[in-house]
Amino acid sequence: MSISWSMLIGVLSIWLVVLALLLKPVAFIGKVLRCSCVLMFGFFVAVFLYLLIHEQVTFDTLHYYWMPQLDSFDSILATARTALLMAGGALGPGWGSIITLSSYNNFRRDAERLSIWVCLTHITIGLMGLLCCNVAHDHFEDHVGMMPLHVDEKHHMQFLYLCFSYLFGRFTTTPNLWAFLFFGMIFLSELCALIIQMMSVVTALFDEFETLRSRRILVISSLVFCLTAFSVYFCTQLGFSQLTQLPNLAVFTHLLISGILVLMTTWVYGRVRFQCDLQFMLGKTISSFKIFFIRFATPIFLGLCLFQLTYLFTRDRIHDVLIYVSQGLILLTAMSYMVYKVCRTNGDWRQRLQQCLAPHDWHPVDADNRRFYEEIMGISEMLVIDANANTT
């Protein structure tokens, strides 16, 4: 339980920065995130291009690293597991969460096109990052002769960071600058993910419990201080040894939440109503094929991701206490509140769920849009609305 004081100071500093940003208006937080993302992506592109030039990466090298190995069934499974984890991880903080994509967008903004751009961006950055990792790993193995099994890793990224540090040290031009850009990029990405995740939690609390909005500073400060106290545990040697499992546990939670959202929106709330709401909010036609794809294909993908994570938990022999505390507390809290909300309604279980999911507590901000939405709530066939129309 000995504490790393340098890590403790770093953790406290990061939480102070997060607290200072969360207390600012949403517009200011959005500007900070946009500037950070542009800066982060600029760092990454600079490091990527210089790495290609320094290591003389050719098209044959790209084909070697990006072409999956399909020579055996085990190789196919390994490739599929990697692809599932990379895609499943994007549903979490990296995606920006569903709340961030919806609550802070203007009415009639084309969120569908935005989601497609997010997917393409994740694919591009994922392939670029995969190439960088493979180049750094092979460079370190060729020059030092060490493999991950030769290192007693306390964290699953420890060996990879060692490979990158050695690679940057071999650069002939300003090696410290490239190392700063690389680790600065990682720091900014994690900081942005943390802020986005905290915004999602705070937004959900204030939307569900409107009385807390008058005590916004107290609620945010209390939440940050509690999480800071929990973070101190991971500054110890025992906590740091368990830190490597937190990303997988976080992805596991995100997949469960995504599965519940798909179940509630496309099955309980109803396919027709969900499609009508999308068309009303986006102001354009949404094909039934897209809704059916979300309804049937997405649960299959989420199930495969959950199966892969369960396999990793079994392989890595994750501590049972860590699973029970992290996942059990989250699920117990969510399910308890869901049961409480359902018990306050009447009818059979399906009617109770439909009452809880009925859009009686949310409307467009604009009064004309709100009135038009209320008029069409009982219509099964949604008319395509002009983007500038506010009345029927």
Side-chain angles (χ1 to χ4, degrees):
M1 295 299 294
S2 59
I3 295 180
S4 172
W5 295 105
S6 59
M7 185 180 294
L8 178 61
I9 294 174
V11 168
L12 295 178
S13 302
I14 290 173
W15 278 115
L16 286 176
V17 173
V18 172
L19 176 61
L21 286 175
L22 290 178
L23 295 178
K24 295 291 184 178
V26 175
F28 179 82
I29 299 176
K31 292 179 181 179
V32 172
L33 290 176
R34 283 194 294 271
C35 294
S36 299
C37 289
V38 171
L39 192 63
M40 173 179 57
F41 191 72
F43 287 176
F44 179 63
V45 172
V47 173
F48 178 79
L49 293 178
Y50 191 81
L51 185 143
L52 295 183
I53 297 173
H54 184 270
E55 294 300 310
Q56 300 179 355
V57 176
T58 62
F59 285 103
D60 293 335
T61 308
L62 297 177
H63 182 271
Y64 173 75
Y65 286 133
W66 282 346
M67 189 65 181
Q69 296 181 358
L70 305 177
D71 53 347
S72 65
F73 183 72
D74 292 337
S75 300
I76 296 176
L77 286 181
T79 302
R81 288 197 298 264
T82 303
L84 284 173
L85 283 182
M86 292 179 66
L91 292 173
W95 180 274
S97 80
I98 298 174
I99 293 178
T100 309
L101 281 175
S102 57
S103 297
Y104 300 120
N105 278 313
N106 295 327
F107 190 63
R108 296 288 167 78
R109 186 175 183 181
D110 196 350
E112 181 187 17
R113 185 177 62 179
L114 178 63
S115 299
I116 295 175
W117 276 110
V118 169
C119 292
L120 295 177
T121 304
H122 277 296
I123 293 173
T124 304
I125 295 179
L127 292 176
M128 293 169 65
L130 182 64
L131 176 63
C132 292
C133 293
N134 287 330
V135 170
H137 185 279
D138 289 350
H139 183 274
F140 186 79
E141 182 181 346
D142 293 339
H143 290 79
V144 182
M146 291 181 62
M147 299 285 289
L149 55 91
H150 298 145
V151 179
D152 183 18
E153 290 187 289
K154 300 298 183 182
H155 190 276
H156 71 288
M157 299 293 290
Q158 187 172 342
F159 182 80
L160 190 59
Y161 288 162
L162 180 63
C163 295
F164 273 107
S165 300
Y166 182 81
L167 175 62
F168 295 141
R170 301 273 298 183
F171 284 178
T172 55
T173 306
T174 59
N176 291 334
L177 173 63
W178 298 110
F180 171 79
L181 294 179
F182 176 78
F183 290 104
M185 172 201 66
I186 295 178
F187 172 77
L188 287 176
S189 64
E190 295 295 338
L191 182 63
C192 292
L194 179 59
I195 295 173
I196 291 174
Q197 195 77 338
M198 291 295 296
M199 286 181 61
S200 302
V201 174
V202 171
T203 302
L205 286 175
F206 291 155
D207 286 349
E208 187 66 21
F209 307 101
E210 296 184 1
T211 56
L212 296 178
R213 294 181 180 179
S214 59
R215 291 173 285 183
R216 178 175 176 270
I217 296 178
L218 178 61
V219 172
I220 294 177
S221 301
S222 302
L223 182 61
V224 170
F225 288 149
C226 290
L227 293 176
T228 304
F230 286 125
S231 299
V232 174
Y233 168 73
F234 294 99
C235 297
T236 63
Q237 290 190 6
L238 178 61
F240 186 79
S241 64
Q242 300 173 352
L243 187 65
T244 183
Q245 299 298 340
L246 287 185
N248 291 336
L249 289 173
V251 174
F252 192 87
T253 304
H254 297 147
L255 292 175
L256 284 179
I257 295 175
S258 300
I260 294 174
L261 287 173
V262 171
L263 174 65
M264 294 300 180
T265 54
T266 61
W267 291 92
V268 179
Y269 184 62
R271 177 193 63 82
V272 176
R273 194 54 176 274
F274 179 62
Q275 185 175 0
C276 290
D277 285 355
L278 283 180
Q279 293 183 141
F280 175 78
M281 289 184 290
L282 301 181
K284 66 178 185 179
T285 303
I286 302 296
S287 64
S288 299
F289 171 77
K290 297 177 181 177
I291 305 300
F292 277 108
F293 187 85
I294 296 174
R295 200 180 188 190
F296 294 100
T298 303
I300 296 176
F301 166 74
L302 296 177
L304 292 174
C305 291
L306 289 174
F307 176 78
Q308 166 62 12
L309 287 173
T310 305
Y311 164 77
L312 290 179
F313 293 157
T314 305
R315 186 197 66 179
D316 297 339
R317 298 178 182 179
I318 186 174
H319 299 278
D320 294 337
V321 177
L322 192 60
I323 295 179
Y324 295 146
V325 171
S326 62
Q327 303 300 306
L329 184 61
I330 294 172
L331 296 178
L332 181 62
T333 303
M335 293 179 64
S336 299
Y337 187 71
M338 290 172 63
V339 172
Y340 167 74
K341 295 289 287 187
V342 170
C343 291
R344 298 184 62 184
T345 58
N346 300 318
D348 56 25
W349 69 272
R350 184 178 179 85
Q351 293 174 343
R352 289 173 179 266
L353 289 177
Q354 287 178 341
Q355 292 178 36
C356 292
L357 294 170
H360 53 75
D361 57 350
W362 67 273
H363 297 281
V365 176
D366 184 77
D368 293 333
N369 290 328
R370 185 187 313 148
R371 182 171 58 255
F372 182 65
Y373 179 78
E374 292 172 349
E375 292 176 357
I376 66 170
M377 280 183 67
I379 301 177
S380 59
E381 295 183 0
M382 180 64 191
L383 299 176
V384 179
I385 311 165
D386 183 74
N388 298 320
N390 290 324
T391 57
T392 57

